[in-house]
Amino acid sequence: MRTLQERLKIIERHINEKNIKVMIIGLGSVGSYLLDYLISKNDSGISVVVVGRDEEKMQTKVNITRIAGLIRGINKSHVYIEGGVDLNDIDTIQKVIEKHQPDFIVNSSRAYPGLKYGSISWANVRAYGIWSPLAIRFIKNIMEACDKADTDAIVINTSYSDAVIPWLKSAGKAYPDFGSGNLNHLVPRMKFAAAEMLGVEDYWNVDIMFAAGHFHDVCISKEGQTENVDLPLKIYYKGQEKELSNDQLYLACKIAMPVDQTRNMMNASSNYQIITAVIEAVRRHEDQKVFIPGFGGNIGGYPVQIGYKDGQLDAWIDESVFSFEEMNKSDRVSMALDGVEDVVNGELIYTDALIEKAKMAFGVRLPKKVPFEDIEKTAEFIIDEIILPQIEKK
């Protein structure tokens, strides 16, 4: 695969030619919401390819989405369906990528569908990192297929990118360019909270500079606190920095949210935002800021700018307020609280605290390190020894 900058240059041309193709791999709730959002964009220059195993189920979902869009008068996108694609079969994935030559590939698949992993882990071990082997299971195959196909697509991953993207990079493998969700779910809560604290109604004029790993996305959203970790945060309103109580802001981020699949509206929106940010950066020639887990293969989440640097379309971590070192330090603390001590040399390293908590909560002992070649074995172990027994209890 070419560098991100080289692939962005190719996509820039396709955007200007109004010939953009988005491939969604996995049409569960995240993929279905994303399809709806892309159709609602009402852009005839965007076509969508949905990829998965069960063509009949995908056809049914595509039918309702296209018809609902046309009822609203906002359906100008062509949608293509590719069924019979097994995400354990790298050659099959490669062939479908080569056939359609997408500009964006969004992985919205899950190794164990229909289950919110956090419904098991948060109450028992207060950490999400335990599921890392499941989160990487399919995207590693997709990235190998992308590499073999030598695709020029921008790849977006939806599952635990804070650790998954660094894991792939540290193993010397091709890795996604962007991760969606996680940090990006927390920032809008902060904007709403800051606007209320400032007594303003135009919350869209509130800007945030913030970095944190996945643990704090969950902890702040669920509990309104940071476990006494000092995170890099600044609040701006119409370009002016505002002094607000961080503790009060975090507390105000604790708002009621659904626990069923409607939560995936947020993850689908994050995918949509990344795609739109690239498109709008080209069309408007204005930098677009997004919050990305795992960007550049770095552990945790960061503010990222997409725009023009030295006359070339590019994407980079925004260090205009906080240095990379400041943000990376906080991210590593956050990820350690989430059970991930480090990701290095192709190995994901669990914290001793998580190993002990998992033993007490589930009666199983996690390995200290999960080498890249043991991902499948460890994922099966987690499904068989943790997920299935917990489901049976309910």
Side-chain angles (χ1 to χ4, degrees):
M1 292 174 65
R2 296 171 179 80
T3 66
L4 174 58
Q5 291 76 15
E6 290 170 331
R7 286 177 285 125
L8 281 170
K9 187 173 184 179
I10 293 168
I11 288 175
E12 177 186 29
R13 184 176 74 245
H14 292 172
I15 293 170
N16 287 327
E17 293 170 351
K18 297 182 179 180
N19 183 24
I20 309 161
K21 186 174 286 186
V22 179
M23 177 176 285
I24 303 173
I25 299 180
L27 203 61
S29 56
V30 173
S32 297
Y33 282 127
L34 177 58
L35 175 63
D36 186 30
Y37 299 158
L38 289 169
I39 283 177
S40 297
K41 196 171 177 63
N42 207 30
D43 189 333
S44 60
I46 296 177
S47 59
V48 184
V49 183
V50 296
V51 175
R53 187 192 296 269
D54 193 326
E55 184 169 350
E56 185 176 349
K57 284 185 178 180
M58 289 193 297
Q59 184 68 68
T60 300
K61 291 182 179 181
V62 168
N63 288 345
I64 188 66
T65 306
R66 293 179 70 224
I67 290 171
L70 198 55
I71 291 171
R72 303 193 305 274
I74 50 171
N75 188 351
K76 294 181 179 178
S77 295
H78 292 285
V79 182
Y80 307 93
I81 299 171
E82 287 286 346
V85 179
D86 183 350
L87 296 185
N88 291 306
D89 186 342
I90 294 167
D91 290 340
T92 305
I93 305 169
Q94 177 185 347
K95 287 176 183 176
V96 79
I97 292 171
E98 290 173 337
K99 176 181 177 180
H100 289 280
Q101 297 292 308
D103 296 295
F104 297 92
I105 296 174
V106 180
N107 168 41
S108 66
S109 63
R110 289 175 66 83
Y112 197 94
L115 173 69
K116 179 71 175 170
Y117 300 149
S119 66
I120 295 175
S121 63
W122 191 256
N124 291 289
V125 297
R126 282 180 64 79
Y128 193 95
I130 189 173
W131 312 116
S132 301
L134 292 178
I136 198 174
R137 192 176 194 180
F138 286 154
I139 187 61
K140 69 178 177 60
N141 295 344
I142 292 169
M143 291 313 305
E144 185 172 343
C146 285
D147 207 23
K148 288 184 173 181
D150 196 24
T151 181
D152 292 321
I154 300 300
V155 184
I156 305 169
N157 182 55
T158 63
S159 184
Y160 207 57
S161 294
D162 304 70
V164 163
I165 297 179
W167 198 352
L168 283 162
K169 184 179 182 181
S170 77
K173 308 294 184 180
Y175 56 91
D177 303 289
F178 298 98
S180 71
N182 300 1
L183 175 68
N184 204 27
H185 294 171
L186 178 57
V187 169
R189 295 171 183 255
M190 295 175 127
K191 289 187 176 185
F192 281 125
E196 186 171 346
M197 291 171 70
L198 290 168
V200 300
E201 295 185 355
D202 53 337
Y203 47 83
W204 50 89
N205 283 321
V206 174
D207 193 20
I208 305 285
M209 287 300 289
F210 183 64
H214 183 270
F215 177 84
H216 283 101
D217 166 43
V218 179
C219 187
I220 295 172
S221 298
K222 283 182 174 292
E223 301 174 3
Q225 55 95 17
T226 68
E227 297 284 276
N228 297 315
V229 176
D230 186 17
L231 298 169
L233 169 65
K234 286 191 181 293
I235 310 294
Y236 301 86
Y237 177 63
K238 293 185 176 180
Q240 298 295 315
E241 185 177 351
K242 298 296 179 180
E243 295 293 333
L244 297 175
S245 166
N246 287 359
D247 289 342
Q248 290 182 25
L249 182 74
Y250 294 138
L251 185 59
C253 289
K254 181 185 175 183
I255 59 176
M257 296 290 282
V259 295
D260 60 14
Q261 290 187 344
T262 56
R263 285 182 59 87
N264 288 328
M265 292 174 67
M266 296 188 297
N267 209 331
S269 297
S270 295
N271 288 299
Y272 176 83
Q273 182 193 39
I274 294 166
I275 295 167
T276 300
V278 175
I279 294 171
E280 294 305 308
V282 174
R283 289 177 174 172
R284 298 183 183 182
H285 263 256
E286 295 177 356
D287 290 355
Q288 308 291 312
K289 185 169 71 177
V290 291
F291 290 86
I292 300 294
F295 181 77
N298 295 294
I299 194 167
Y302 301 83
V304 172
Q305 293 284 354
I306 301 171
Y308 286 85
K309 183 186 286 187
D310 300 324
Q312 182 176 339
L313 185 62
D314 205 347
W316 62 94
I317 291 176
D318 187 345
E319 297 184 72
S320 60
V321 176
F322 301 109
S323 69
F324 173 78
E325 289 73 21
E326 288 178 277
M327 294 186 285
N328 183 255
K329 181 179 179 181
S330 294
D331 275 313
R332 287 182 173 276
V333 171
S334 185
M335 293 305 294
L337 287 169
D338 221 29
V340 177
E341 182 176 302
D342 207 351
V343 182
V344 63
N345 298 326
E347 293 183 326
L348 180 126
I349 305 172
Y350 286 127
T351 62
D352 292 338
L354 175 61
I355 293 171
E356 186 60 30
K357 288 177 182 178
K359 184 179 178 181
M360 293 180 65
F362 307 122
V364 301
R365 185 166 186 83
L366 295 169
K368 176 64 177 175
K369 299 179 180 180
V370 183
F372 193 82
E373 58 269 20
D374 287 350
I375 287 170
E376 292 291 338
K377 179 177 70 175
T378 309
E380 287 297 329
F381 171 81
I382 290 171
I383 290 172
D384 292 340
E385 301 299 327
I386 297 178
I387 290 179
L388 293 179
Q390 291 299 309
I391 291 175
E392 290 171 2
K393 286 181 180 180
K394 295 183 178 180

